[in-house]
Amino acid sequence: MELGGSDPFVVMPSADLEQAVSIAVSARMINNGQSCIAAKRFIIHEKIYDEFLKRFVAGVSAIRVGDPMDEKTQLGPLATAAIRDGLDNQVKSSVAAGARVATGGKKLEGEGYFYVPTVLTDIPADAPAAQEELFGPVASVFKAKDLTDAIRIANGTSFGLGASAWTRDAAEQDRFIADIESGLLFINGMVASDPRLPFGGVKNSGFGRELGEFGIHQERTRRRRPGGETIRD
């Protein structure tokens, strides 16, 4: 059972910054931000934080919002009014708690459930943008002091579905693989679902696995004899 996520996207100084920013925009806005494995919390090392944020905000601000039937459109509406209004309330509550809007931060009036592509910074640890799943085009950006701090922030929610880490340092890659609490972890790549690999989360992101060899074994049906003994088919 998959129950959502608040996937971290960690960027370290050794990363290819241009590539990381480009993928970060796509990873947050995929399916108009309505994806369980979309990157949602962007955790950036303090040495590159300012430059990443400048480029990331520029990329998010440049997204073309409009009719999904128009080939030039890059971001369409959200699925329902409830999703859009709930997202707006999460943003407003986060701002009230102290978060800053770097771009966006509002609904678009008119036909369709549109929300302006948004970037939030300076987010308190207990704000909705830090703790909850934001199911729409809103990115939460955090500054990390070092590798250990980045992992602490990444693990600082009740979710654990997917995660991605951007670094060309082999030792840092090993730390992320060992210490980030997630069912899926991608190094220098966007989190994706692949039928060859088991898919599922940890913590409040659900339980069990689908896809891949492990998913096939887990999906075997279970029956019980009248006496209570379990039979595996």
Side-chain angles (χ1 to χ4, degrees), residues 156-225:
T157 76
S158 63
F159 294 104
L161 187 55
S164 60
W166 295 75
T167 172
R168 288 180 282 199
D169 184 302
E172 290 180 347
Q173 293 174 1
D174 288 343
R175 277 289 306 280
F176 286 127
I177 292 168
D179 293 345
I180 285 188
E181 299 167 352
S182 63
L184 309 167
L185 175 67
F186 284 65
I187 299 294
N188 297 326
M190 186 169 74
V191 176
S193 175
D194 188 308
R196 297 169 296 179
L197 303 175
F199 178 92
V202 298
K203 301 197 289 188
N204 286 349
S205 285
F207 57 90
R209 294 292 182 270
E210 63 178 347
L211 307 179
E213 179 183 355
F214 292 100
I216 292 173
H217 290 315
Q218 183 146 339
E219 292 301 320
R220 290 186 302 178
T221 59
R222 298 185 179 188
R223 294 180 291 117
R224 289 186 178 276
R225 298 183 189 277

Side-chain angles (χ1 to χ4, degrees), residues 83-105:
I83 291 176
R84 181 200 59 187
D85 294 344
L87 181 68
D88 189 46
N89 287 335
Q90 288 173 307
V91 170
K92 288 178 177 176
S93 295
S94 296
V95 171
R100 183 178 71 87
V101 178
T103 187

Side-chain angles (χ1 to χ4, degrees), residues 118-182:
T118 297
V119 176
L120 300 178
T121 65
D122 303 327
I123 303 165
D126 59 349
Q131 293 298 324
E132 299 176 5
E133 179 178 32
L134 272 59
F135 208 63
V138 178
S140 302
V141 184
F142 302 85
K143 182 187 294 186
K145 297 177 181 178
D146 52 29
L147 173 64
T148 299
D149 194 39
I151 293 172
R152 177 190 64 79
I153 298 170
N155 292 339
T157 76
S158 63
F159 294 104
L161 187 55
S164 60
W166 295 75
T167 172
R168 288 180 282 199
D169 184 302
E172 290 180 347
Q173 293 174 1
D174 288 343
R175 277 289 306 280
F176 286 127
I177 292 168
D179 293 345
I180 285 188
E181 299 167 352
S182 63

Side-chain angles (χ1 to χ4, degrees), residues 58-113:
V60 170
S61 300
I63 292 173
R64 293 189 295 272
V65 181
D67 184 348
M69 301 303 292
D70 185 338
E71 292 184 357
K72 296 181 179 179
T73 293
Q74 296 174 299
L75 189 89
L78 298 177
T80 67
I83 291 176
R84 181 200 59 187
D85 294 344
L87 181 68
D88 189 46
N89 287 335
Q90 288 173 307
V91 170
K92 288 178 177 176
S93 295
S94 296
V95 171
R100 183 178 71 87
V101 178
T103 187
K106 61 182 179 180
K107 297 185 286 187
L108 277 178
E109 301 302 328
E111 186 177 2
Y113 309 125

Side-chain angles (χ1 to χ4, degrees), residues 41-60:
R41 294 178 298 127
F42 297 83
I43 302 162
I44 316 302
H45 191 285
E46 63 181 11
K47 288 184 178 180
I48 56 170
Y49 177 87
D50 291 340
E51 184 62 25
F52 177 94
L53 183 62
K54 181 177 72 173
R55 297 188 190 191
F56 186 56
V57 169
V60 170

